[in-house]
Amino acid sequence: MALDVSVVKKDFPILDQQVHGRRLVYLDSASSSQKPRAVLEAMQDELETTYANVHRGVYAIAEESTRRYEDARAKVARFIGARSTREVVFTKNVTEAINLVAYAWGRSHLQPGDAVLLTEMEHHANIVPWLQLKAERGIELRYLPLTDDGHLMLDDLAQMVDGVKLVGVSCCSNVLGTINPVRRIADAAHAAGALVIADGAQYSPHMATDVSALGCDFYGFTGHKMLGPTGIGVLWAREELLEAMPIFIGGGEMIRDVRLDGFIPNELPWKFEAGTPPFVEAIGLGAAVDYLENIGMDAVRAHEKALTAYALGTLKERYGDDLVIHGPSDPEDRGGAISFVYKDVHPHDLSQVLDQAGVCVRAGHHCAKPLMRRLGVTATARASMYVYNDEADVDALADALAEADTLFF
């Protein structure tokens, strides 16, 4: 069933307003998405009727709070095709999920001289933790390069993965929009004896996710980019890997027993969930999963692909070579994040002018400075689309760029 944006928009209270006397056009979902009433109400209901710490009290509202929290985990497991809820660890965000793997798996498996293969398009969250290990352990970092049109260069993939212990790859670039062939990379990595960690922050909100089909061993994503609240993310990993990994953070909840001379960690997944978890946020994430599943992820992808095609065509038709769009030109190969440079206007200046027209876009390096250097720019403006955007929003962006012309030129 096709996605009806006119119906979807009504579910998002924040969109029913004006800024600077203009209709709010939110085109920054790659940074953080807006929240439907269903998510806001699920969290409010938990706070008003059932709020109590999870996995601790045996009184009625505590048990109900725990049930809702674990029900959210089950929804997430289903949403990504996990075999078991034991494989679903709640984290603060995908950054923490990747750091968990780098700390718990990396520090127990990587020795001086061991190699980790990343890509030039990775978010800092999938670079900095491995740079830390390079500084601490002397591991080797390799990087898959990019083509000029924003695809990974995979001609030498077999050579690049040779001798590697881990491959880290973004499923979908937050800058270029490129959808990467994760399964092909995973198959090559496994053939070389390496594991794969996939960053799904820009993938799971927009496309049907099946971790088995992707072929990865670790997978992370974050709630606030998929209609959920901030402060909640997910690490999925194969159960046998999580079982063998040492703990990440120590404290309450993650233990089965503690003595003065040692401790026994809890079972999965709570072994990696020290302290009071963000259970209200997890319940909100569960509601976001319900909302997206009600739309249908195939419908989400079809809508965004069509809207991205319209955006690419409209911007090219109206602005030609004055507007440079980075990333693949075929909507089939990309998500809905469009990074661009307009004439010689600095992206921050451009973003401020667009804001006066009610249009919200991101400007900056998008937590991907190595990629900015590869592109030969210090920053870009980025418009990113989601389920509540339509062609009128794209037209508003294009019109606002014309208004920028009158100011700068």
Side-chain angles (χ1 to χ4, degrees):
M1 185 177 297
L3 189 156
D4 188 339
V5 180
S6 65
V7 173
V8 170
K9 274 182 180 286
K10 295 176 182 177
D11 292 334
F12 293 81
I14 197 171
L15 299 179
D16 188 24
Q17 66 172 296
Q18 291 191 336
V19 292
H20 307 303
R22 304 287 192 95
R23 176 177 70 90
L24 176 63
V25 177
Y26 188 76
L27 295 173
D28 194 21
S29 295
S31 177
S32 196
S33 66
Q34 298 300 340
K35 322 303 173 194
R37 283 190 181 86
V39 170
L40 302 176
E41 290 171 356
M43 296 175 68
Q44 191 66 23
D45 184 69
E46 167 68 12
L47 290 167
E48 290 182 349
T49 70
T50 315
Y51 182 87
N53 214 330
V54 296
H55 298 149
R56 288 162 174 79
V58 295
Y59 47 90
I61 63 171
E63 290 188 337
E64 174 61 13
S65 191
T66 298
R67 185 197 66 78
R68 293 184 182 189
Y69 178 60
E70 293 302 332
D71 185 51
R73 193 191 308 275
K75 291 176 182 179
V76 168
R78 181 185 67 239
F79 187 69
I80 62 172
R83 295 175 300 179
S84 165
T85 55
R86 289 169 58 85
E87 297 181 330
V88 176
V89 177
F90 283 131
T91 61
K92 182 172 62 179
N93 45 39
V94 68
T95 298
E96 184 177 286
I98 295 172
N99 274 268
L100 191 162
V101 175
Y103 187 93
W105 182 88
R107 283 170 173 77
S108 59
H109 287 81
L110 296 177
Q111 304 300 323
D114 286 343
V116 170
L117 175 63
L118 305 172
T119 83
E120 290 183 340
M121 69 170 67
E122 296 306 304
H123 188 283
H124 294 163
N126 206 20
I127 296 179
V128 174
W130 309 111
L131 287 171
Q132 288 179 275
L133 277 175
K134 179 182 179 182
E136 294 172 13
R137 296 288 182 89
I139 67 170
E140 174 193 354
L141 292 184
R142 304 175 188 174
Y143 295 92
L144 284 169
L146 304 180
T147 64
D148 289 339
D149 63 352
H151 290 94
L152 291 176
M153 295 176 62
L154 300 177
D155 293 345
D156 298 324
L157 179 59
Q159 179 181 345
M160 292 291 285
V161 298
D162 185 39
V164 162
K165 290 291 184 70
L166 181 79
V167 176
V169 59
S170 171
C171 294
C172 180
S173 170
N174 70 312
V175 175
L176 304 170
T178 310
I179 301 172
N180 287 319
V182 175
R183 185 58 192 240
R184 177 182 172 186
I185 294 169
D187 287 346
H190 292 154
L195 298 182
V196 176
I197 181 168
D199 177 354
Q202 302 292 337
Y203 188 87
S204 285
H206 306 283
M207 285 161 266
T209 302
D210 183 338
V211 289
S212 296
L214 288 171
C216 53
D217 303 286
F218 304 99
Y219 183 85
F221 63 101
T222 199
H224 70 90
K225 297 182 190 295
M226 53 177 286
L227 310 183
T230 55
I232 186 71
V234 173
L235 170 66
W236 169 87
R238 290 194 286 114
E239 184 173 338
E240 57 271 26
L241 292 174
L242 291 173
E243 199 72 74
M245 284 161 54
I247 64 166
F248 176 41
I249 298 174
E253 182 65 17
M254 50 64 60
I255 55 89
R256 186 182 304 168
D257 190 21
V258 178
R259 298 178 182 275
L260 294 179
D261 60 352
F263 70 94
I264 300 173
N266 206 342
E267 296 179 357
L268 294 175
W270 309 292
K271 166 185 175 181
F272 294 106
E273 295 181 359
T276 296
F279 58 91
V280 178
E281 289 76 11
I283 291 166
L285 176 56
V289 167
D290 287 340
Y291 188 90
L292 287 170
E293 288 185 332
N294 186 56
I295 294 175
M297 293 309 297
D298 289 342
V300 171
R301 172 59 182 154
H303 166 71
E304 291 183 12
K305 188 162 58 173
L307 191 57
T308 300
Y310 179 78
L312 293 173
T314 298
L315 294 173
K316 183 67 176 177
E317 179 182 346
R318 291 188 60 172
Y319 296 102
D321 293 338
D322 286 338
L323 189 144
V324 177
I325 295 175
H326 296 285
S329 58
D330 187 347
E332 194 72 38
D333 296 338
R334 65 180 301 149
I338 300 175
S339 291
F340 60 92
V341 176
Y342 183 57
K343 296 183 177 178
D344 60 352
V345 181
H346 193 283
H348 289 110
D349 295 333
L350 186 62
S351 177
Q352 288 183 308
V353 173
L354 296 182
D355 173 59
Q356 294 300 308
V359 178
C360 306
V361 301
R362 174 81 178 271
H365 54 70
H366 314 295
C367 299
K369 281 196 167 187
L371 176 55
M372 292 294 111
R373 293 187 178 95
R374 168 63 179 83
L375 298 176
V377 298
T378 57
T380 69
R382 183 186 67 192
S384 50
M385 293 160 282
Y386 207 8
V387 294
Y388 35 68
N389 294 119
D390 54 19
E391 292 183 357
D393 294 338
V394 174
D395 293 340
L397 169 64
D399 292 342
L401 285 169
E403 292 184 31
D405 259 351
T406 64
L407 181 63
F408 290 113
F409 304 102

